[in-house]
Amino acid sequence: MSSQKRKQVILGAYLGGVNHHTAWWDPQAGSQIEFDSFEHTARTAERGKFDFFFLAEGLALRERAGQIFDQDIIGRPDTFTVLASLAAVTEHLGLAGTINATFNEPYELARQFATLDQLSGGRAAWNVVTSFDAFTGQNFRRGGYLDRAQRYERAQETVALVRELWDSWRSDDIVADKASGRFLARPDAGEFAFHGSHFDVNGRFTVPRSPQGRPVILQAGVSPQGRDFAAGNADAIFSPYGQLPEAADFYRDIKARAVAAGRDPGDIKILPSASFVLGTSEADAIEKYREIRDQQVTGQTALVLLEQIWNLDLSKYDPEGPLPDIAPDPEAPPIIQGRAFIHQDRFATVAKLRAVAESKKLNLREVVIDQFERGPIVGTPQQVAEKIDSFVSNDGSDGFILGSHLVPTGLDEFVDDVVPLLQDRGVLRSDYEGTTLRDNLGLPIPVQRERATAR
């Protein structure tokens, strides 16, 4: 029998709250704002030896025809405040936050994440995102938004500058010799200068280097430009693919792009998000999933999701009836604001939906479920453990970021019933071996860059 160690499963935990998948109306659901909810999820994840806790962020409340709608959870505390609070009630769990690179200054970003990294003992991670619309930009001084090319250009420069700020301190810069009175090893600790197309700054950075060198960088990217950016900059990338073989194709592509960027392919981890439904039998799990899905995709939710494509008020249509018999209107003012529009060709998308409805004999709501809902991992605990192990071992990903429709207790049964089975398979740690997030993810401490005075 081979003694080779099996490929380990990376696990992140997310607390839902920015889309209709979170069943806030469920009698067992708790608050999306109270600290107890964040603490419960984080402590549960750490009990299950997860790698990190992930917190998404929305910079604007989503609207339909100028009014906030109830499909999404409304409001969420500031990400840095929540993660810093969680650092005090956890010991090993990584703390990952989504922070926008379009409307935040690099110096502020670098300082906030470096502070979180210091306070947590090297457990911070930054999910780098960009803003996609002028609607979100209205909340900020500059307003507006950048086109796709400029968004990535600014994001690339932001990440480069933030890393330079993090690297402006060496790990041995603080001597703090009480006998001699010498505090710093060199007088220029923290000095930086950066000259680019978006930023022209210089000064002294205020936060010394953390135990993991730099916070971990997370990124999502599906377009060729997004994939190149992630492969060149990220330590981990969120994958949108939860099924083989397309997930394996994406995995190979990102690893190849990492190599082309001069990186070791093992130094970038691929992580799709997923939910799960457990049952005492497969049939029981499937029945539970159907009940949850019907809670999530109500008739009203189905109409709102289709209004994104049609860009028209569809409230007069019956969700249990046929698809709208009208054409979309791309030129009309957006009826849905604050959601990323991923369907580039409205007319082609509508044609596809109608073809699906006709071939499968589906009504409007059923078409939405069939086409837009990524199914969770469903089965008994043994089946779910096997599916996760198989997906990772076949290079569909390096792990999963798991969440539940039920906040904050939904993760409990996974930790109680599935985690021990993954540990028995030898694909999940039984205890933390390192102290930093990079230790847990199997990522090296980054080589410190020399200070650059020009770009």
Side-chain angles (χ1 to χ4, degrees):
M1 184 176 180
S2 173
S3 60
Q4 184 177 0
K5 187 177 181 181
R6 302 199 48 205
K7 185 177 179 182
Q8 298 297 287
V9 174
I10 294 170
L11 290 179
Y14 71 84
L15 188 146
V18 293
N19 55 51
H20 64 275
H21 295 103
T22 304
W24 58 264
W25 52 84
D26 191 292
Q28 298 181 68
S31 171
Q32 297 283 328
I33 297 175
E34 294 175 3
F35 180 67
D36 286 352
S37 292
F38 299 101
E39 181 181 16
H40 181 95
T41 303
R43 285 186 181 275
T44 301
E46 187 163 75
R47 180 165 61 85
K49 312 305 176 186
F50 278 48
D51 293 89
F52 62 91
F53 169 86
F54 171 71
L55 195 59
E57 181 181 68
L59 294 179
L61 297 181
R62 294 166 176 172
E63 295 180 1
R64 178 196 175 277
Q67 300 295 319
I68 296 171
F69 58 85
D70 291 336
Q71 281 77 5
D72 290 358
I73 296 300
I74 303 301
R76 168 165 275 174
D78 174 72
T79 297
F80 282 114
T81 306
V82 172
L83 295 182
S85 300
L86 291 177
V89 297
T90 57
E91 296 181 14
H92 302 280
L93 193 68
L95 303 167
T98 300
I99 300 293
N100 195 289
T102 303
F103 299 116
N104 289 286
E105 291 298 316
Y107 186 91
E108 294 172 337
L109 288 171
R111 190 165 184 264
Q112 289 168 312
F113 274 108
T115 299
L116 178 62
D117 217 28
Q118 285 285 356
L119 293 178
S120 64
R123 295 188 280 137
W126 174 25
N127 177 35
V128 183
V129 297
T130 61
S131 180
F132 60 85
D133 63 350
F135 171 76
T136 301
Q138 293 173 1
N139 283 339
F140 294 87
R141 176 173 55 85
R142 287 186 299 274
Y145 69 105
L146 302 173
D147 62 33
R148 178 176 290 274
Q150 286 185 306
R151 289 206 313 270
Y152 279 109
E153 181 182 280
R154 179 186 166 93
Q156 185 87 33
E157 202 166 291
T158 296
V159 171
L161 175 49
V162 165
R163 280 179 166 162
E164 186 160 315
L165 291 166
W166 289 338
D167 282 352
S168 65
W169 285 81
R170 299 171 187 163
S171 58
D172 58 355
D173 270 343
I174 296 181
V175 179
D177 187 339
K178 295 181 180 180
S180 67
R182 183 186 180 203
F183 192 79
L184 293 179
R186 58 188 177 103
D188 60 344
E191 280 192 0
F192 67 90
F194 188 100
H195 309 289
S197 58
H198 289 264
F199 308 105
D200 187 358
V201 294
N202 63 82
R204 295 285 285 264
F205 189 54
T206 62
V207 186
R209 198 165 176 84
S210 83
Q212 66 172 347
R214 299 188 208 125
V216 169
I217 295 288
L218 309 176
Q219 172 68 23
V222 178
S223 69
Q225 188 178 20
R227 293 186 188 201
D228 281 339
F229 176 69
N233 293 282
D235 298 301
I237 178 171
F238 298 137
S239 166
Y241 304 108
Q243 300 292 329
L244 297 170
E246 61 180 357
D249 291 339
F250 180 78
Y251 187 95
R252 287 190 294 268
D253 180 62
I254 293 296
K255 299 284 185 174
R257 290 173 192 259
V259 171
R263 302 181 62 192
D264 186 318
D267 290 348
I268 181 169
K269 308 300 182 182
I270 313 298
L271 304 169
S273 63
S275 58
F276 60 91
V277 178
L278 301 177
T280 55
S281 66
E282 184 174 21
D284 177 51
I286 292 173
E287 180 61 27
K288 285 183 179 179
Y289 163 58
R290 288 173 177 162
E291 292 175 359
I292 294 169
R293 182 195 65 192
D294 287 342
Q295 277 189 309
Q296 294 169 327
V297 188
T298 62
Q300 183 184 15
T301 295
L303 289 172
V304 167
L305 292 174
L306 290 187
E307 284 177 338
Q308 278 191 275
I309 301 170
W310 262 264
N311 199 33
L312 292 167
D313 181 351
L314 303 179
S315 59
K316 69 178 181 180
Y317 287 89
D318 181 3
E320 304 304 322
L323 288 172
D325 55 0
I326 54 177
D329 187 356
E331 304 304 320
I335 187 171
I336 303 296
Q337 297 271 31
R339 281 179 178 263
F341 183 71
I342 60 175
H343 309 281
Q344 299 305 315
D345 188 327
R346 295 179 189 272
F347 294 96
T349 303
V350 168
K352 177 185 177 183
L353 295 179
R354 286 178 173 151
V356 169
E358 182 177 355
S359 65
K360 296 186 177 182
K361 309 301 181 188
L362 302 178
N363 63 32
L364 185 153
R365 191 175 72 89
E366 291 168 339
V367 169
V368 170
I369 292 172
D370 184 79
Q371 291 295 295
F372 300 148
E373 295 304 297
R374 285 176 54 191
I377 307 171
V378 180
T380 65
Q382 292 82 1
Q383 289 173 325
V384 169
E386 195 282 328
K387 290 176 182 178
I388 289 174
D389 182 12
S390 177
F391 192 87
V392 172
S393 65
N394 284 290
D395 288 342
S397 72
D398 293 303
F400 287 91
I401 303 174
L402 294 173
S404 168
H405 70 288
L406 193 60
V407 172
T409 58
L411 193 65
D412 293 33
E413 61 177 344
F414 184 92
V415 169
D416 292 337
D417 299 335
V418 180
V419 161
L421 300 176
L422 293 172
Q423 292 169 332
D424 288 344
R425 286 171 170 265
V427 298
L428 181 66
R429 65 174 67 85
S430 57
D431 203 354
Y432 293 101
E433 298 176 358
T435 59
T436 70
L437 179 55
R438 288 186 180 276
D439 289 337
N440 294 338
L441 294 175
L443 295 172
I445 294 178
V447 176
Q448 195 156 12
R449 302 179 183 185
E450 293 297 323
R451 182 169 67 87
T453 58
R455 278 286 186 274

